[in-house]
Amino acid sequence: MKARIQPVLILLIFTLSGIFRANADDRVALSVDGRNVSADEFMYLYNKNRMNGDTVSTARDYARMFAVFKMKVIEAELAGIDTTRQFRAELAGYLRDMGDADPMLVKEYREGMLLFEISNLMVWQKATADTEALERHFAANRERYGWDAPRAKGWIISAVDSATAVESQTFLAEANVDNDDLRPLLKRRFGMKVKAEKYLVREGINQVVDRLVFHQENGFVAGNDWALSWSHDCRVISAPEEWNDVGAMVTADYQDLLAQQWEESLWQSHDVVFNYDVIDEITSV
């Protein structure tokens, strides 16, 4: 009996929603590729963003941001993101948890999911995966990534006893390997008897580095677990040498660049019409 009643309840919810919104403002605030955005929908998100502390200089500026949002949703649908099993399952779970959620809220959640997935595909994931592009971006904008203090860059290696320390130092000198491979190389050869840690830190952040690289007399003294610690290919540099030295900043900047380029391409490939008379009127209240 419950399964038979459920569709009736769902229909009743949407019917009541329509009754409560009998005075809805269905005037078109803007359209994207022929898809109309009503004054109600525009004001719903406009007011919600203002309540969340987002600041936009004018309602017309917000309308342009809103249009970009809608264009990205369309791009996500064109990419088939809304047809994937993962997307459908997450949306179904949301509907199940929310029960009798307002249709506007459901639409907001669905489009928010699409925005996240297409942004991840076109900007965030794309930037982090393209290390060559990140290196080029760093090289072209090197002056933007200075430091306020030098950094120690390199390896600190520790051994459980002096014999292992000597053996591992000899091993590394003879191996002549790429420094990126030090950790797995030492682990395979010495197991837990040797520890290798890579650092890029300024003075005053790490006691081991302060003692061994910056030569502070009051720096770290090895404890019982590690009898000896020493620096390997560790030097003090005054500015970043490669994009990885300021990886988070370079990645964020490159993501911003990709987002800007993507937005410019969206305006070229979608048809957007603004009804500024409606937008100005509804936002002036």
Side-chain angles (χ1 to χ4, degrees), residues 14 37 50 60 75 91 97 101 118 142 176-178 182 186 190 192 205 211 250 275:
F14 279 87
V37 175
R50 292 173 66 191
R60 293 191 177 193
E75 290 288 317
L91 183 59
D97 293 340
I118 194 64
R142 188 181 293 266
N176 191 27
V177 295
D178 189 315
L182 280 189
L186 288 170
F190 297 98
M192 303 300 292
I205 298 298
R211 175 69 177 269
V250 173
N275 292 331

Side-chain angles (χ1 to χ4, degrees), residues 108-246:
E108 177 190 7
Y109 185 82
R110 176 184 178 276
E111 293 187 344
M113 289 172 57
L114 289 172
L115 174 66
F116 176 85
E117 294 297 338
I118 194 64
S119 297
N120 186 48
L121 181 66
M122 297 298 294
V123 178
W124 307 324
Q125 192 178 76
K126 188 175 181 180
T128 55
D130 195 346
T131 55
E132 291 183 0
L134 290 169
E135 184 63 56
R136 290 195 301 271
H137 184 75
F138 169 75
N141 301 276
R142 188 181 293 266
E143 71 282 354
R144 295 168 55 182
Y145 301 110
W147 288 328
D148 58 354
R151 302 300 198 258
K153 179 181 180 179
W155 291 88
I156 300 296
I157 302 176
S158 303
V160 294
D161 53 56
S162 57
T164 303
V166 172
E167 184 182 354
S168 60
Q169 288 171 348
T170 302
F171 174 75
L172 286 175
E174 295 175 351
N176 191 27
V177 295
D178 189 315
N179 281 337
D180 289 340
D181 299 327
L182 280 189
R183 192 176 288 110
L185 183 72
L186 288 170
K187 187 174 183 180
R188 285 195 301 268
R189 178 65 177 80
F190 297 98
M192 303 300 292
K193 297 174 67 178
V194 173
K195 176 179 68 171
E197 295 178 289
K198 195 172 186 179
Y199 289 98
L200 180 65
V201 294
R202 62 178 174 81
E203 188 174 2
I205 298 298
N206 183 280
Q207 289 183 317
V208 179
V209 176
D210 285 348
R211 175 69 177 269
L212 297 175
V213 184
F214 290 109
H215 308 295
Q216 287 189 9
E217 293 184 0
N218 296 325
F220 172 82
V221 178
N224 294 331
D225 291 339
W226 305 105
L228 290 172
S229 295
W230 66 96
S231 63
H232 175 81
D233 192 31
C234 197
R235 61 200 186 283
V236 177
I237 58 176
S238 59
E241 298 176 322
E242 54 188 337
W243 81 268
N244 269 327
D245 292 343
V246 279

